[in-house]
Amino acid sequence: MSENATWPLSGFGDEVDPDPNVQAAVLLALGASHIEVRSAWGTNVSEFTPEQVERLKAILDERGLKVSAVASPIGKVDVSLPVEHEVQRLRQVISVAKGLDATYIRIFSFYRADGQSAEAIRDDVMVRMAALAAEAEAAGVVLLHENEKDIYGDTPERVLDIMETVNSPALRVAWDNANFVQVGVKPYSDGYAMLRPYLEYFQVKDALSGTGEVVPSGQGDGELDATVAALKADGFNGFASLEPHLASAHELGGFSGPVAFGIAARAFAALADKHGVRLS
């Protein structure tokens, strides 16, 4: 067990402001060395032009910020779309990730129609996730599956099902405590041991089980205290990425603004400090 753990700190820049200059300034002020890129100038990463990628890279290089992950919307679509639909979109996102020197791409595992069960779409999900993982592996990037509510992989059991079935080194887990809370799961108690072998990226977010409302780290029912302690004890040294969602959350992202983002960052820093984890 390591006495000293250091986790590179990142955060969703577009939760701060649409302008990447402001995103970078706030993240740096909060002690982050990295940024997670979901959108800039109001444009989602899946729609970046090569010029926008270049412009963003120049801004981040000038500030000395690296990109921890490209937070794509891949897999946040209905599973009835053809396999090729998301594979095509992933190719575009891979080119963005390469342009930003990022290895990780955050993805999801598909929505289903109203009244359709998770079991009914399982096989279709696996075909699509395997196709995405194969594309990623060929390109030398790693997909991070985030456990978002209402997608196939919203419970620990189904996330494990994806990991074991696809069985690719290019598909790993982005762990989100708050999202688990929102589907009635106790994240650490119900899912940590099961998913730890695949857990490579930590999305920092907490929520109240009664309402699903997102709150600063340690102030909700997400068992963040136990999660941080266990990750440290396990020798985790991956990214911790702030996704505060404190002002508004919508389909393709969330927003906090600089002040709320700072509150979320300080709450997590206090939790990390309590367990002897240094954020860099």
Side-chain angles (χ1 to χ4, degrees), residues 36 57 74 99-100 106 112 126 151 161 202 253 260 269 274:
E36 184 156 351
K57 182 81 168 78
I74 302 293
L100 296 174
R106 185 276 309 265
R112 54 190 177 271
M126 297 306 169
I151 59 170
D161 186 21
F202 182 28
K274 174 185 168 184

Side-chain angles (χ1 to χ4, degrees), residues 44 124-125:
N44 186 273
D124 286 339
V125 166

Side-chain angles (χ1 to χ4, degrees), residues 2-255:
S2 75
E3 281 310 300
N4 298 311
T6 301
W7 300 350
L9 183 65
S10 186
F12 282 69
D14 62 355
E15 290 225 5
V16 173
D17 193 90
D19 180 349
N21 285 294
V22 180
Q23 297 178 10
V26 170
L27 279 162
L28 286 166
L30 294 169
S33 55
H34 289 72
I35 184 170
E36 184 156 351
V37 180
R38 181 171 52 200
S39 70
W41 310 288
T43 303
N44 186 273
V45 286
S46 61
E47 287 158 10
F48 276 4
T49 63
E51 293 71 36
Q52 283 175 312
V53 173
E54 219 168 288
R55 192 174 147 210
L56 180 58
K57 182 81 168 78
I59 290 168
L60 299 177
D61 282 353
E62 193 185 331
R63 302 273 189 164
L65 264 189
K66 294 186 168 73
V67 177
S68 61
V70 170
S72 86
I74 302 293
K76 238 185 185 183
V77 297
D78 196 278
V79 74
S80 61
L81 285 166
V83 177
E84 195 54 30
H85 183 275
E86 291 303 79
V87 172
Q88 282 294 108
R89 285 215 304 166
L90 179 61
R91 284 186 191 129
Q92 147 70 10
V93 172
I94 288 171
S95 74
V96 171
K98 298 269 189 197
L100 296 174
D101 281 344
T103 303
Y104 289 125
I105 296 172
R106 185 276 309 265
I107 65 161
F108 304 94
S109 55
F110 299 90
Y111 292 126
R112 54 190 177 271
D114 287 343
Q116 227 183 354
S117 70
E119 291 64 44
I121 67 164
R122 180 194 179 274
D123 293 351
D124 286 339
V125 166
M126 297 306 169
V127 167
R128 284 155 181 74
M129 296 303 283
L132 294 171
E135 193 71 31
E137 198 172 344
V141 295
V142 175
L143 304 179
L144 298 167
H145 174 275
E146 182 178 337
N147 52 289
E148 176 88 3
K149 58 178 177 293
D150 299 329
I151 59 170
Y152 178 80
D154 59 355
T155 64
E157 293 74 17
R158 288 201 287 266
V159 176
L160 182 65
D161 186 21
I162 293 168
M163 294 300 141
E164 290 184 338
T165 304
V166 176
N167 189 23
S168 164
L171 180 61
R172 287 292 175 260
V173 165
W175 171 276
D176 188 311
N177 296 66
N179 291 354
F180 277 139
V181 170
Q182 290 173 343
V183 295
V185 168
K186 288 193 169 84
Y188 176 74
S189 305
D190 301 344
Y192 183 84
M194 189 188 297
L195 295 178
R196 180 61 184 97
Y198 302 97
L199 197 169
E200 213 161 290
Y201 198 93
F202 182 28
Q203 303 281 34
V204 179
K205 201 150 105 243
D206 203 348
L208 300 170
S209 56
T211 58
E213 183 197 345
V214 174
V215 293
S217 297
Q219 293 177 25
D221 300 300
E223 302 185 310
L224 263 96
D225 194 55
T227 304
V228 169
L231 284 169
K232 189 207 173 195
D234 285 350
F236 177 78
N237 60 1
F239 292 105
S241 183
L242 299 162
E243 188 187 8
H245 271 14
L246 292 179
S248 70
H250 53 84
E251 187 87 338
L252 289 176
F255 186 73

